[in-house]
Amino acid sequence: MGADGTAAEESKSWRDVIGAYVGLTKPRVIELLLLTTVPVMFFAERGIPALGLVAATVVGGALSAGSASAYNCVYDRDIDEQMRRTRRRALPRHIVSPVSALVFATVLAVLSTVVLGLWVNWLSAGLSVLANAFYVFVYTMLLKRRTTQNIVWGGLAGCFPTLIGWTAVTGELAWTPVVLFLVVFFWTPPHTWALALRYREDYRNVDVPMLPVVRSASEVGRQIVVYSWVMVATSLLLWPVAGTSLVYPVAAAVLGAVFLVEAHRMWSRARRSDALNEINPMRLFHASNLYLSLLFVAVALDPLLGR
């Protein structure tokens, strides 16, 4: 029985370590990034792209995003250990050492570049490297702890999958993926500020100047509304720029209207009260995930249904 207990403990330990390394890549973030990559490939192909190309782009993109997240975890391990939302990550729990995590992140970065370069194209690989570097050096190391505009400009890194998805199919850049790039750019502040509002005390305790830490909830709500309007207007630009069918603009208009209602409602609640249980920012956060998901589904379906 003792031997069995030891074996079970070792097995659990290995599962913990593997789970910790997976956690370093922030899988939910990867899912969101791939959601803005694959639909753009469908749109660029004006149909169904080659499955091998999709698979290589997905694998390469996932490795690159996982690498950037792992680098972020290494650099932010000091504040992650103090925040409720992040204290269960691998480095704060000391399941993985900083050196091991750094090596892991670097291996993922190299593998992603090789996969995208050899099986997709080197333009897509280069854009992936640029996105990774921007997230690590510009957002994580330069902006995050210094300015309330950290997520606005740092969020540029999360917009690159639209460009990578397009170049994977076409081998060149164009205005169409730039419009989608801007949609994600303007979507990022409402999405992130809603989450940061929920965890504003966490950010305040570690001196990270997220907007909800240094501005009132009402002001955060106002800025969320402004960005939301610009986001929806930008999403509708795809119709004339890319010459879509009516499938996309109808979906974009309906989804945009629903999101704007949610943004205005949250702002209204924030003007009445500063209490989080009254503001309920996570409602908008979850709505933002659903909005982006369905909008890019519409991007993928437009060339299939609008013929």
Side-chain angles (χ1 to χ4, degrees):
M1 183 180 245
D4 290 341
T6 301
E9 183 178 342
E10 290 177 354
S11 176
K12 185 176 186 300
S13 176
W14 277 107
R15 286 198 297 269
D16 284 346
V17 172
I18 293 172
Y21 276 104
V22 171
L24 285 173
T25 66
K26 301 180 185 177
R28 296 185 69 178
V29 174
I30 291 176
E31 290 175 11
L32 198 59
L33 293 176
L34 293 181
L35 183 66
T36 59
T37 304
V38 177
V40 177
M41 297 181 72
F42 276 71
F43 196 83
E45 185 68 39
R46 306 304 297 173
I48 301 175
L51 295 183
L53 180 63
V54 173
T57 307
V58 166
V59 170
L63 290 171
S64 179
S67 167
S69 293
Y71 280 128
N72 173 266
C73 286
V74 173
Y75 190 83
D76 278 349
R77 63 189 184 278
D78 58 330
I79 60 176
D80 281 351
E81 194 163 356
Q82 301 175 59
M83 296 176 64
R84 287 176 301 163
R85 187 172 69 88
T86 57
R87 64 177 55 153
R88 299 299 297 168
R89 288 178 177 171
L91 290 170
R93 293 171 62 197
H94 306 289
I95 299 176
V96 177
S97 72
V99 172
S100 296
L102 190 61
V103 170
F104 176 66
T106 303
V107 169
L108 292 184
V110 172
L111 286 175
S112 71
T113 305
V114 171
V115 169
L116 289 172
L118 295 182
W119 287 289
V120 181
N121 58 60
W122 288 106
L123 175 57
S124 297
L127 289 170
S128 177
V129 171
L130 181 60
N132 192 332
F134 192 93
Y135 183 76
V136 175
F137 295 108
V138 178
Y139 170 66
T140 301
M141 300 178 69
L142 181 63
L143 297 177
K144 183 174 181 178
R145 307 191 193 199
R146 290 180 172 84
T147 172
T148 59
Q149 297 301 298
N150 48 18
I151 197 59
V152 176
W153 298 108
L156 281 168
C159 307
F160 274 80
T162 59
L163 305 181
I164 294 169
W166 182 271
T167 58
V169 172
T170 67
E172 60 185 12
L173 288 169
W175 284 112
T176 295
V178 171
V179 171
L180 293 170
F181 179 101
L182 291 174
V183 170
V184 180
F185 175 75
F186 292 120
W187 168 88
T188 301
H191 169 77
T192 308
W193 286 337
L195 182 66
L197 187 57
R198 166 66 178 82
Y199 292 101
R200 62 187 175 186
E201 293 305 319
D202 265 2
Y203 288 109
R204 181 177 287 118
N205 290 338
V206 295
D207 296 321
V208 174
M210 298 294 285
L211 187 68
V213 172
V214 299
R215 297 287 187 271
S216 67
S218 177
E219 174 60 17
V220 174
R222 186 188 72 81
Q223 292 205 33
I224 283 176
V225 165
V226 171
Y227 273 94
S228 298
W229 274 99
V230 177
M231 173 192 73
V232 173
T234 304
S235 73
L236 293 171
L237 278 178
L238 190 66
W239 181 18
V241 169
T244 71
S245 72
L246 287 177
V247 171
Y248 173 80
V250 169
V254 172
L255 291 169
V258 172
F259 189 85
L260 287 173
V261 168
E262 286 294 337
H264 276 276
R265 283 178 174 172
M266 198 198 83
W267 184 27
S268 177
R269 295 193 297 270
R271 292 201 304 270
R272 294 195 304 267
S273 172
D274 195 57
L276 289 179
N277 62 329
E278 295 291 335
I279 301 171
N280 192 13
M282 294 304 287
R283 178 182 175 94
L284 184 68
F285 174 77
H286 293 306
S288 69
N289 284 330
L290 186 60
Y291 167 82
L292 195 71
S293 301
L294 294 179
L295 184 74
F296 275 82
V297 167
V299 169
L301 291 179
D302 183 85
L304 301 176
L305 301 180
R307 292 176 174 175

